[in-house]
Amino acid sequence: MIWLLVRVKRKQVGGIKTVTVGGEFEAYRDRKGRARKRRVQGTGERAFVPEHILRRAGFEVFLPVRHVWRKRNRFTPEKVRVAQPLLVDWMFVGWPADQNRWEDLMALDVVMGVLGTGGRPVVMKRETVAKLMRQWGGGMLSARCHQIAKQGHQFETGDEVRISMPPWEGVAAYVVDAHGPSVRVMLKLFGRDVPAEFSKFSVMPAGKARGRGDV
């Protein structure tokens, strides 16, 4: 994959505006008896507007996000956890290395330009993009990006890690067993170790491995 860091138009970003993509639909009739369709509540995936536009154009897209708490609306103090773009105007856009999609990319109205030097675009290292996906994917990666993030992501017993998926996002832990698709860890909670199990994709390196005598 060729990965570029692309700047998109702010008016298209819309702050943290998202749209629902896909999902299941059901038929119903409105008050005038007309046949309508509506998305079944709880189905579909949330995507940021420019991310959705680029994916519809056939590009692979990775938008680093962080999670913040915001009021559900102005009428209630209740807060909900929402994803917010980490870079606001920028996102990683990729396509297969055997294709030339440069002109297609620059032809899109949503695109302002790409990160470059000396008039040439900077091609991001695959390892760098994969690391950022693991750290800032925020549970919003596409299936393809999910596979990229998993490749070369191995753990050993004693490795110090942090959980990257809610509700344990940011919690420190150390690896007990890393065989198979899951990782068994000990979470560091309230001054004691608590056993838990996560997919390898939900865990990111946090530092050097512990010695056995430190467990």
Side-chain angles (χ1 to χ4, degrees), residues 5-6 8 10 13 15-18 48 50-51 62-68 70 82-92 128-129 131-138 140 169 204:
L5 187 55
V6 176
V8 295
R10 183 177 292 269
V13 176
I16 58 172
K17 184 178 180 181
T18 60
F48 290 93
E51 179 184 21
F62 162 51
L63 176 61
V65 298
R66 61 184 174 183
H67 288 93
V68 298
R70 291 186 177 275
V82 298
Q84 184 180 65
L86 190 66
L87 303 177
V88 183
D89 295 341
W90 297 84
M91 61 184 59
F92 295 91
T128 300
V129 177
K131 181 178 179 180
L132 291 171
M133 287 179 179
R134 291 192 290 268
Q135 185 173 2
W136 300 107
M140 298 183 68
E169 185 175 7
M204 57 179 287

Side-chain angles (χ1 to χ4, degrees), residues 27-106:
Y28 76 101
R29 292 190 176 277
D30 62 18
R31 293 180 178 179
K32 295 184 178 181
R34 294 173 296 189
R36 302 287 190 183
K37 284 186 177 181
R38 60 189 171 195
R39 183 179 285 107
V40 177
Q41 187 174 1
T43 66
E45 297 181 353
R46 302 298 293 176
F48 290 93
V49 174
E51 179 184 21
H52 178 55
I53 293 172
L54 284 159
R55 282 182 175 157
R56 286 187 62 182
F59 293 99
E60 194 57 68
V61 183
F62 162 51
L63 176 61
V65 298
R66 61 184 174 183
H67 288 93
V68 298
W69 289 95
R70 291 186 177 275
K71 291 181 63 175
R72 183 179 294 276
N73 56 58
R74 62 178 180 172
F75 304 108
T76 174
E78 181 184 0
K79 292 187 176 182
V80 294
R81 195 167 180 271
V82 298
Q84 184 180 65
L86 190 66
L87 303 177
V88 183
D89 295 341
W90 297 84
M91 61 184 59
F92 295 91
V93 179
W95 62 82
D98 60 350
Q99 298 179 12
N100 184 357
R101 301 292 312 278
W102 174 256
E103 292 186 359
D104 297 335
L105 175 67
M106 299 309 296

Side-chain angles (χ1 to χ4, degrees), residues 93-207:
V93 179
W95 62 82
D98 60 350
Q99 298 179 12
N100 184 357
R101 301 292 312 278
W102 174 256
E103 292 186 359
D104 297 335
L105 175 67
M106 299 309 296
L108 293 174
D109 181 61
V110 71
V111 174
M112 287 187 65
V114 301
L115 179 68
T117 179
R120 298 177 64 87
V122 174
V123 177
M124 309 301 295
K125 292 183 179 180
R126 180 189 178 96
E127 295 78 9
T128 300
V129 177
K131 181 178 179 180
L132 291 171
M133 287 179 179
R134 291 192 290 268
Q135 185 173 2
W136 300 107
M140 298 183 68
L141 295 179
S142 67
R144 175 61 175 159
C145 288
H146 190 289
Q147 290 300 317
I148 291 172
K150 288 173 62 177
Q151 292 175 4
H153 197 41
Q154 303 297 326
F155 297 100
E156 296 181 359
T157 300
D159 282 351
E160 293 186 0
V161 297
R162 287 191 180 277
I163 311 305
S164 60
M165 301 292 283
W168 305 108
E169 185 175 7
V171 174
Y174 65 91
V175 176
V176 175
D177 182 34
H179 295 93
S182 300
V183 179
R184 289 196 294 121
V185 303
M186 286 289 183
L187 298 174
K188 301 174 184 177
L189 295 174
F190 309 112
R192 63 191 184 93
D193 291 341
V194 179
E197 184 171 329
F198 299 90
S199 72
K200 289 184 177 180
F201 180 64
S202 302
V203 177
M204 57 179 287

